[in-house]
Amino acid sequence: MGKTVAFVGKVDKVEDSTLFMTTEDLTQVKVIKFKGDAEKFPSGSVMEIRGIVNKDNSLSFGESTQYDAEFDLATYEHMLTYYHGMCKDLCVK
């Protein structure tokens, strides 16, 4: 909680100032205080959202980067799982 993170997921939908995203296993992540242009966040697009983790595990929107259509979210998530498992001693704590 309160830490700045970079989250990568697929855009599910935008409702007012809330962005709903999903991981490859369909876990939904709620991004609040969204101040981007909803038209630039089409459903199914893969985005990196940088923001702050809230007490309820939602994310407060900070900045975003859109990835191209060829970005493989499943492989990316697998790489993170591997890296934070096998190489956990190299990760910042």
Side-chain angles (χ1 to χ4, degrees):
M1 178 185 80
K3 294 192 180 229
T4 302
V5 297
F7 167 74
V8 177
K10 285 186 182 180
V11 174
D12 184 26
K13 62 185 173 182
V14 179
E15 292 180 354
D16 300 319
S17 62
T18 304
L19 173 63
F20 294 92
M21 300 184 70
T22 57
T23 61
E24 187 61 28
D25 69 358
L26 302 179
T27 300
Q28 189 174 70
V29 175
K30 184 176 168 182
V31 181
I32 63 171
K33 301 180 183 175
F34 173 69
K35 44 191 178 227
D37 179 358
E39 302 230 345
K40 294 182 180 178
F41 289 75
S43 181
S45 62
V46 178
M47 305 289 289
E48 176 182 300
I49 304 296
R50 293 171 298 286
I52 297 173
V53 177
N54 301 307
K55 286 181 182 180
D56 65 356
N57 288 328
S58 66
L59 186 62
S60 289
F61 184 84
E63 299 176 315
S64 65
T65 301
Q66 185 169 10
Y67 293 140
D68 62 25
E70 286 79 39
F71 185 85
D72 186 339
L73 186 58
T75 300
Y76 175 78
E77 289 181 7
H78 182 71
M79 181 271 309
L80 287 178
T81 301
Y82 174 78
Y83 184 77
H84 289 286
M86 292 282 294
C87 305
K88 66 183 173 198
D89 295 332
L90 301 174
C91 299
V92 176
K93 296 177 182 174

